[in-house]
Amino acid sequence: MDSLDLKTVRTSLEGAVLQVRLARPEVGNALDEQMLDDLLAVLSYLRARSDVRVLVLSGEGDSFCLGGDRGELLRLAAEDPGGPAVRRIGDKARAVCEGFAAADPVTIARVHGQVVGAGLALAIFCDLRVGDTGTRFRMPELALGLPTAWGGAMARLIGEVGAARIRELVLTADAFDAHTAHRLSILHQVVPAEELDGAVSRWVKPVIRRPVAALHASKTLMNAYSRGDRFGDLSMLDGHFLSAFLGAGTAR
Protein backbone atom coordinates (compact mmCIF):
# COMPACT_ATOMS: atom_id res chain seq x y z
CA MET A 1 0.00 0.00 0.00
CA ASP A 2 1.61 3.26 -1.13
CA SER A 3 -0.80 5.58 0.66
CA LEU A 4 -3.42 5.55 3.39
CA ASP A 5 -6.98 6.78 2.89
CA LEU A 6 -7.08 9.48 5.57
CA LYS A 7 -9.05 12.72 5.86
CA THR A 8 -6.51 15.22 7.21
CA VAL A 9 -3.13 13.58 6.58
CA ARG A 10 -1.56 12.61 3.26
CA THR A 11 0.93 9.76 3.04
CA SER A 12 3.14 8.25 0.38
CA LEU A 13 5.60 5.40 0.65
CA GLU A 14 8.81 5.99 -1.28
CA GLY A 15 10.91 2.87 -0.90
CA ALA A 16 11.80 2.65 2.79
CA VAL A 17 10.63 6.21 3.52
CA LEU A 18 7.07 7.07 4.55
CA GLN A 19 6.17 10.70 3.82
CA VAL A 20 3.46 12.01 6.17
CA ARG A 21 2.02 15.47 5.47
CA LEU A 22 -0.42 17.35 7.68
CA ALA A 23 -3.15 18.37 5.26
CA ARG A 24 -5.38 21.08 6.70
CA PRO A 25 -3.55 24.02 5.09
CA GLU A 26 -6.67 26.19 5.12
CA VAL A 27 -6.40 26.36 8.94
CA GLY A 28 -2.63 26.19 9.18
CA ASN A 29 -2.75 22.43 9.82
CA ALA A 30 -4.32 23.00 13.22
CA LEU A 31 -4.51 19.70 15.09
CA ASP A 32 -8.09 18.60 15.68
CA GLU A 33 -9.36 15.22 16.86
CA GLN A 34 -9.70 13.93 13.30
CA MET A 35 -6.06 14.70 12.58
CA LEU A 36 -5.03 12.94 15.79
CA ASP A 37 -7.06 9.90 14.70
CA ASP A 38 -5.36 9.98 11.31
CA LEU A 39 -1.90 10.19 12.87
CA LEU A 40 -2.76 7.26 15.14
CA ALA A 41 -3.76 5.33 12.00
CA VAL A 42 -0.34 6.11 10.50
CA LEU A 43 1.37 4.78 13.63
CA SER A 44 -0.76 1.62 13.49
CA TYR A 45 0.23 1.18 9.83
CA LEU A 46 3.90 1.48 10.79
CA ARG A 47 3.62 -1.35 13.28
CA ALA A 48 2.64 -3.66 10.41
CA ARG A 49 5.37 -2.43 8.03
CA SER A 50 8.84 -3.55 9.04
CA ASP A 51 10.16 -2.32 5.67
CA VAL A 52 9.62 1.35 6.60
CA ARG A 53 12.91 2.69 7.93
CA VAL A 54 12.24 6.45 8.04
CA LEU A 55 9.13 8.61 8.56
CA VAL A 56 9.27 12.23 7.41
CA LEU A 57 6.63 14.50 8.97
CA SER A 58 5.83 17.78 7.19
CA GLY A 59 2.94 20.17 6.65
CA GLU A 60 1.16 21.40 3.54
CA GLY A 61 0.63 25.09 2.87
CA ASP A 62 2.34 28.06 4.45
CA SER A 63 3.07 26.54 7.87
CA PHE A 64 3.99 23.24 9.46
CA CYS A 65 1.33 23.54 12.18
CA LEU A 66 -0.37 26.44 13.99
CA GLY A 67 -1.07 24.31 17.07
CA GLY A 68 -4.11 22.58 18.49
CA ASP A 69 -7.60 23.44 17.31
CA ARG A 70 -8.50 25.73 20.21
CA GLY A 71 -12.02 26.28 18.86
CA GLU A 72 -12.71 22.56 19.00
CA LEU A 73 -11.40 22.31 22.56
CA LEU A 74 -13.49 25.23 23.78
CA ARG A 75 -16.60 23.90 22.02
CA LEU A 76 -16.17 20.46 23.55
CA ALA A 77 -15.60 21.97 26.98
CA ALA A 78 -18.80 24.03 26.64
CA GLU A 79 -20.82 21.03 25.47
CA ASP A 80 -19.34 18.66 28.01
CA PRO A 81 -18.39 20.50 31.24
CA GLY A 82 -17.50 17.20 32.92
CA GLY A 83 -14.55 16.95 30.57
CA PRO A 84 -14.42 13.42 29.11
CA ALA A 85 -14.29 14.69 25.52
CA VAL A 86 -11.37 17.02 26.21
CA ARG A 87 -9.58 14.27 28.14
CA ARG A 88 -10.10 11.98 25.17
CA ILE A 89 -8.32 14.45 22.89
CA GLY A 90 -5.56 14.89 25.46
CA ASP A 91 -5.05 11.14 25.67
CA LYS A 92 -4.92 10.86 21.87
CA ALA A 93 -2.40 13.70 21.70
CA ARG A 94 -0.15 11.91 24.15
CA ALA A 95 -0.50 8.63 22.23
CA VAL A 96 0.49 10.37 18.98
CA CYS A 97 3.51 12.12 20.49
CA GLU A 98 4.75 9.06 22.35
CA GLY A 99 4.11 7.04 19.20
CA PHE A 100 6.45 9.20 17.14
CA ALA A 101 9.16 8.93 19.77
CA ALA A 102 8.80 5.16 20.15
CA ALA A 103 8.23 4.25 16.48
CA ASP A 104 10.70 1.77 15.02
CA PRO A 105 11.49 4.00 12.01
CA VAL A 106 13.62 7.08 12.54
CA THR A 107 11.22 10.04 12.59
CA ILE A 108 12.21 13.33 10.97
CA ALA A 109 10.30 16.60 11.36
CA ARG A 110 10.63 18.85 8.30
CA VAL A 111 9.22 22.17 9.48
CA HIS A 112 8.59 25.54 7.86
CA GLY A 113 6.51 28.67 8.37
CA GLN A 114 4.88 28.78 11.80
CA VAL A 115 5.42 26.01 14.37
CA VAL A 116 3.13 26.80 17.29
CA GLY A 117 2.09 25.04 20.50
CA ALA A 118 0.91 21.53 19.67
CA GLY A 119 2.80 21.77 16.37
CA LEU A 120 6.02 22.23 18.32
CA ALA A 121 5.01 19.24 20.45
CA LEU A 122 4.68 17.06 17.35
CA ALA A 123 8.07 18.17 16.05
CA ILE A 124 9.95 17.78 19.33
CA PHE A 125 8.90 14.13 19.62
CA CYS A 126 10.59 13.34 16.30
CA ASP A 127 14.13 11.97 16.41
CA LEU A 128 15.58 14.57 14.04
CA ARG A 129 14.31 18.05 13.20
CA VAL A 130 15.18 20.45 10.39
CA GLY A 131 13.66 23.83 9.55
CA ASP A 132 14.28 26.57 7.04
CA THR A 133 15.67 29.97 7.96
CA GLY A 134 12.23 31.59 7.90
CA THR A 135 10.63 29.22 10.40
CA ARG A 136 9.13 30.80 13.52
CA PHE A 137 8.23 29.07 16.78
CA ARG A 138 6.01 29.96 19.70
CA MET A 139 4.51 28.41 22.83
CA PRO A 140 1.47 30.72 23.21
CA GLU A 141 -0.71 28.77 25.62
CA LEU A 142 -0.41 31.12 28.61
CA ALA A 143 -1.08 34.15 26.39
CA LEU A 144 -4.26 32.38 25.24
CA GLY A 145 -5.35 31.62 28.79
CA LEU A 146 -4.51 27.92 28.62
CA PRO A 147 -2.05 25.71 30.50
CA THR A 148 0.88 24.25 28.60
CA ALA A 149 -0.47 20.71 28.65
CA TRP A 150 -0.54 18.90 25.31
CA GLY A 151 0.80 15.47 24.48
CA GLY A 152 3.41 15.36 27.22
CA ALA A 153 5.41 18.03 25.39
CA MET A 154 6.58 19.84 28.51
CA ALA A 155 8.58 16.85 29.76
CA ARG A 156 10.04 16.21 26.31
CA LEU A 157 11.00 19.87 25.82
CA ILE A 158 12.65 20.06 29.22
CA GLY A 159 14.59 16.91 28.40
CA GLU A 160 15.70 18.17 24.97
CA VAL A 161 16.28 21.84 25.81
CA GLY A 162 16.51 22.31 29.59
CA ALA A 163 14.15 23.53 32.28
CA ALA A 164 15.44 27.12 32.52
CA ARG A 165 15.04 27.96 28.85
CA ILE A 166 11.65 26.24 28.51
CA ARG A 167 10.41 28.09 31.58
CA GLU A 168 11.30 31.37 29.85
CA LEU A 169 9.57 30.40 26.59
CA VAL A 170 6.41 29.28 28.38
CA LEU A 171 6.11 32.27 30.70
CA THR A 172 6.83 34.94 28.07
CA ALA A 173 5.09 33.17 25.16
CA ASP A 174 7.59 35.02 22.94
CA ALA A 175 8.11 33.95 19.35
CA PHE A 176 11.61 32.85 18.35
CA ASP A 177 13.32 32.16 15.05
CA ALA A 178 14.94 29.10 13.53
CA HIS A 179 18.47 30.04 14.58
CA THR A 180 17.33 30.38 18.20
CA ALA A 181 15.57 27.02 17.89
CA HIS A 182 18.86 25.55 16.67
CA ARG A 183 20.79 26.99 19.62
CA LEU A 184 18.17 25.48 21.94
CA SER A 185 18.43 22.06 20.21
CA ILE A 186 14.79 22.26 19.11
CA LEU A 187 16.19 22.06 15.58
CA HIS A 188 19.19 19.98 14.62
CA GLN A 189 19.71 21.89 11.37
CA VAL A 190 18.64 25.19 9.80
CA VAL A 191 18.88 25.52 6.01
CA PRO A 192 17.47 27.78 3.28
CA ALA A 193 13.96 26.78 2.23
CA GLU A 194 15.12 25.36 -1.09
CA GLU A 195 17.51 23.01 0.74
CA LEU A 196 15.01 21.45 3.16
CA ASP A 197 14.46 18.30 1.11
CA GLY A 198 18.20 17.93 0.58
CA ALA A 199 18.83 18.13 4.32
CA VAL A 200 16.25 15.42 4.93
CA SER A 201 17.83 13.23 2.23
CA ARG A 202 21.26 13.58 3.81
CA TRP A 203 19.83 12.05 6.99
CA VAL A 204 17.79 9.40 5.21
CA LYS A 205 20.60 7.92 3.12
CA PRO A 206 22.79 6.69 6.00
CA VAL A 207 19.86 5.73 8.24
CA ILE A 208 18.33 3.28 5.76
CA ARG A 209 21.69 1.47 5.57
CA ARG A 210 21.84 0.82 9.32
CA PRO A 211 21.11 -2.71 10.57
CA VAL A 212 17.47 -2.77 11.65
CA ALA A 213 17.96 -4.51 15.01
CA ALA A 214 20.81 -2.23 16.08
CA LEU A 215 18.88 0.88 15.02
CA HIS A 216 15.76 -0.13 16.96
CA ALA A 217 17.82 -1.03 20.04
CA SER A 218 19.62 2.31 19.92
CA LYS A 219 16.34 4.22 19.72
CA THR A 220 14.96 2.25 22.65
CA LEU A 221 18.05 2.97 24.74
CA MET A 222 18.04 6.68 23.92
CA ASN A 223 14.37 6.98 24.85
CA ALA A 224 14.99 5.12 28.09
CA TYR A 225 18.00 7.26 29.02
CA SER A 226 16.09 10.46 28.27
CA ARG A 227 13.54 9.44 30.90
CA GLY A 228 16.08 8.27 33.42
CA ASP A 229 16.09 11.44 35.48
CA ARG A 230 12.32 11.69 35.86
CA PHE A 231 11.04 10.60 39.27
CA GLY A 232 7.47 10.72 38.04
CA ASP A 233 6.15 11.41 34.55
CA LEU A 234 3.30 13.82 35.15
CA SER A 235 2.77 14.36 31.43
CA MET A 236 0.35 11.43 31.44
CA LEU A 237 -2.03 13.76 33.26
CA ASP A 238 -2.00 16.44 30.52
CA GLY A 239 -5.43 15.49 29.18
CA HIS A 240 -7.02 15.41 32.63
CA PHE A 241 -5.43 18.72 33.61
CA LEU A 242 -6.54 20.47 30.42
CA SER A 243 -10.04 19.06 30.77
CA ALA A 244 -10.38 20.25 34.37
CA PHE A 245 -9.06 23.69 33.41
CA LEU A 246 -11.42 24.18 30.47
CA GLY A 247 -14.36 22.59 32.27
CA ALA A 248 -13.99 25.12 35.05
CA GLY A 249 -14.33 27.91 32.52
CA THR A 250 -10.93 29.34 33.47
CA ALA A 251 -9.66 29.88 29.90
CA ARG A 252 -10.40 33.24 28.36
Side-chain angles (χ1 to χ4, degrees):
M1 183 184 295
D2 291 335
S3 64
L4 297 171
D5 184 17
L6 303 172
K7 294 180 180 179
T8 65
V9 173
R10 300 190 199 283
T11 65
S12 60
L13 185 60
E14 303 167 2
V17 181
L18 181 66
Q19 298 283 348
V20 179
R21 292 175 291 276
L22 307 180
R24 297 182 74 208
E26 69 281 0
V27 291
N29 296 318
L31 282 152
D32 63 356
E33 186 169 15
Q34 180 62 61
M35 186 175 280
L36 291 173
D37 286 337
D38 287 348
L39 290 171
L40 287 171
V42 170
L43 293 168
S44 178
Y45 169 79
L46 282 181
R47 288 191 285 272
R49 294 296 300 254
S50 59
D51 56 322
V52 178
R53 307 293 298 279
V54 177
L55 181 153
V56 179
L57 179 66
S58 61
E60 295 185 353
D62 294 333
S63 289
F64 173 71
C65 179
L66 293 182
D69 192 323
R70 184 168 177 256
E72 179 183 65
L73 285 174
L74 293 175
R75 175 179 57 78
L76 289 175
E79 294 173 354
D80 182 19
V86 175
R87 286 199 300 275
R88 182 182 68 241
I89 291 177
D91 290 343
K92 289 181 180 180
R94 179 179 171 82
V96 166
C97 289
E98 292 286 349
F100 274 100
D104 284 342
V106 171
T107 51
I108 298 174
R110 176 197 182 279
V111 303
H112 73 289
Q114 300 290 321
V115 184
V116 180
L120 176 54
L122 271 188
I124 202 71
F125 275 93
C126 290
D127 299 313
L128 298 170
R129 304 173 290 272
V130 61
D132 70 50
T133 51
T135 309
R136 300 280 289 176
F137 299 80
R138 192 179 180 214
M139 300 174 66
E141 288 82 1
L142 279 181
L144 296 173
L146 294 169
T148 308
W150 199 94
M154 184 75 81
R156 177 80 172 191
L157 283 162
I158 289 172
E160 296 281 287
V161 176
R165 296 310 304 271
I166 293 304
R167 186 181 303 119
E168 178 187 13
L169 295 176
V170 168
L171 294 178
T172 64
D174 286 343
F176 54 100
D177 62 18
H179 293 292
T180 300
H182 183 249
R183 289 197 299 272
L184 294 173
S185 297
I186 289 172
L187 291 179
H188 294 92
Q189 288 190 36
V190 178
V191 298
E194 64 272 16
E195 296 179 19
L196 266 176
D197 290 331
V200 171
S201 294
R202 286 191 292 275
W203 279 331
V204 168
K205 288 178 181 178
V207 165
I208 61 176
R209 296 197 298 265
R210 302 293 181 251
V212 174
L215 183 62
H216 293 175
S218 296
K219 279 198 61 173
T220 299
L221 285 170
M222 284 187 285
N223 285 332
Y225 289 143
S226 72
R227 292 175 174 270
D229 59 352
R230 299 185 201 171
F231 292 102
D233 187 358
L234 299 179
S235 64
M236 68 182 63
L237 301 177
D238 273 4
H240 296 272
F241 183 54
L242 186 60
S243 172
F245 189 87
L246 289 170
T250 311
R252 289 177 293 177

